[in-house]
Amino acid sequence: MTGSATANRASAKREALLSTAQDLFSRQGYRAVGIDTLLAEAGVAKMTLYKQFGSKEELIAAVLERLAGQISSALTARLAHAAGGSQGRILAVFDWLADRVRSPDFHGCLFMKAASEYPEATDRPRQAAETFKAGCRALLEEQCNELGIADPSRLAHQLHLLLEGALVLSFLERDPRAATEAREAAAVLLTAAAHGS
Amino acid sequence: MTGSATANRASAKREALLSTAQDLFSRQGYRAVGIDTLLAEAGVAKMTLYKQFGSKEELIAAVLERLAGQISSALTARLAHAAGGSQGRILAVFDWLADRVRSPDFHGCLFMKAASEYPEATDRPRQAAETFKAGCRALLEEQCNELGIADPSRLAHQLHLLLEGALVLSFLERDPRAATEAREAAAVLLTAAAHGS
DNA sequence: CAGGAATCAGACAGATCGGTCTGTCTCTGC
DNA sequence: GCAGAGACAGACCGATCTGTCTGATTCCTG
């Protein structure tokens, strides 16, 4: 299938490491979780981690890149089935957001936390976070461009503000309603932009 | 003046600790900065810190409470001089935000970072963050209530989303324009709410 | 079954963590 | 000028951190 059996064994351990890391980092933070804790939870030897990733920061970056891929897939799948044209697809993004913050294993945006805990421009986790958020912005702009409005880029930026605000506030207040309020606000901005300004 | 001279000496050290801590935590994160680094930078002995605050987490909470007071003062001063009634006062909040994220020592919202790094409900830094954000929400709702619109609470929540989104994105993208975009979006939401919906 | 790659558990290193404690020095208030 | 309070530097504690290394074991392949 995807290579030899020994390679599968390797990637199974790799996967265990990534998903355990994602869970622990998500609930406790990056610096708060030590390597040993993570290894015990994943049932993986230390050398395996360092063979696969090289360092803790690289592991974090790998977690973020994997998560970015998952989110991207989930999002494009949603957009494919969304009704209502570009406008409907934009609202579908906020529907996805509402689901995400309601998930029991949502404990804030891992990308933002990574940028907070590894704030240097040269830190790999921060770079992964910037790349992902730029992708989000691009996706929103793509949809806004098809709206045929005056300033699609500005609208995309404003929608992005709502999206990030909802992520942050639903985490801090432990209340997923922030996401549905973001959707409502997005709808207001959409119609306002459509009617010209 | 404000007490005996010995008490002033004590509070001078306390202030040095608080402002140095705010600076270091802001730039590097809470867990990334060790006590020893902080003490060396502030020029304060270790025992002074532990006499004044008791623990690192309490110091963090004290930094946040002090910052909350500073922001609250700055904000109410702005609101007092804002023209344009409640609507003008709300936009003045976003003007303040635009100034804040342009400040050279803005490196993301310290409250959000605190909630990220100390996520347990019993952690004092997280509690301080929740208290502050609830105060922000209350301030916005106060202004929205005077607007005489149908659902002032909902508008306040949506404005809060924009505010937090701008804080987060201006940090992550190192681009303060997010705040001015938030102001524009806030204006759109305000007029939409005023015209009924 | 034999050969080899990968993982295992865990010791180990060196640094740093938060926090406690001691003893000296300086400054204040009477 | 003396008693006391507070800050000082720095030793010290046990725990924990990331990362390295070893030697035994497990599992796949041929």
Side-chain angles (χ1 to χ4, degrees), chain B:
Chain B
M1 295 274 202
T2 60
S4 68
T6 70
N8 280 344
R9 254 162 59 86
S11 66
K13 290 297 172 182
R14 192 185 163 91
E15 255 298 305
L17 242 13
L18 286 171
S19 71
T20 305
Q22 176 169 335
D23 180 57
L24 289 181
F25 289 151
S26 176
R27 273 189 285 128
Q28 299 178 235
Y30 296 101
R31 299 198 118 106
V33 176
I35 287 289
D36 295 327
T37 308
L38 169 60
L39 292 171
E41 184 90 6
V44 169
K46 205 177 249 192
M47 274 311 291
T48 305
L49 189 159
Y50 282 96
K51 270 229 187 301
Q52 292 279 343
F53 300 102
S55 74
K56 185 185 182 182
E57 289 202 17
E58 288 296 329
L59 168 65
I60 293 171
V63 166
L64 294 179
E65 282 157 16
R66 173 171 163 275
L67 178 60
Q70 290 170 350
I71 290 175
S72 175
S73 306
L75 218 36
T76 54
R78 287 240 184 183
L79 293 197
H81 298 88
S86 296
Q87 190 154 334
R89 281 193 288 277
I90 289 171
L91 291 179
V93 172
F94 285 87
D95 289 331
W96 164 82
L97 178 72
D99 287 350
R100 184 172 178 217
V101 301
R102 277 179 174 79
S103 157
D105 45 67
F106 173 78
H107 301 98
C109 174
L110 273 174
F111 298 96
M112 270 311 305
K113 291 184 174 184
S116 293
E117 292 203 52
Y118 299 90
E120 298 296 323
T122 55
D123 291 337
R124 293 274 286 111
R126 159 122 205 172
Q127 291 169 357
E130 288 183 9
T131 302
F132 173 71
K133 294 297 183 188
C136 291
R137 163 74 46 85
L139 186 143
L140 285 172
E141 274 200 62
E142 208 175 308
Q143 300 304 326
C144 288
N145 280 333
E146 296 177 9
L147 246 34
I149 60 172
D151 195 341
S153 173
R154 179 182 352 174
L155 178 61
H157 278 69
Q158 296 179 343
L159 293 174
H160 197 188
L161 289 174
L162 288 173
L163 195 151
E164 297 293 336
L167 279 172
V168 158
L169 280 185
S170 62
F171 163 62
L172 196 123
E173 306 179 337
R174 307 177 195 278
D175 186 348
R177 277 178 298 175
T180 63
E181 282 156 2
R183 195 200 125 109
E184 293 169 8
V188 173
L189 290 184
L190 272 171
T191 62
H195 290 55
S197 67

Side-chain angles (χ1 to χ4, degrees), chain A residues 5 34-36 46-47 50 55-56:
Chain A
I35 288 288
D36 294 327
K46 205 177 253 193
M47 274 312 291
Y50 283 95
S55 74
K56 185 184 182 183

Side-chain angles (χ1 to χ4, degrees), chain A residues 88-171:
Chain A
R89 281 194 288 277
I90 289 171
L91 291 178
V93 172
F94 285 89
D95 288 332
W96 163 84
L97 177 72
D99 287 350
R100 183 171 177 221
V101 301
R102 276 179 175 79
S103 158
D105 45 65
F106 173 78
H107 301 97
C109 174
L110 273 173
F111 299 96
M112 269 309 307
K113 291 183 174 186
S116 293
E117 292 203 51
Y118 299 89
E120 299 295 323
T122 54
D123 291 338
R124 291 275 285 108
R126 158 120 205 176
Q127 290 170 356
E130 287 182 11
T131 303
F132 173 71
K133 294 298 182 188
C136 290
R137 162 74 46 84
L139 186 142
L140 284 172
E141 274 199 62
E142 208 174 309
Q143 300 304 325
C144 289
N145 280 335
E146 296 177 10
L147 246 33
I149 59 172
D151 194 342
S153 173
R154 175 176 3 168
L155 179 61
H157 277 68
Q158 295 179 344
L159 293 174
H160 197 188
L161 288 175
L162 288 172
L163 197 151
E164 296 294 337
L167 279 171
V168 157
L169 280 184
S170 62
F171 162 62

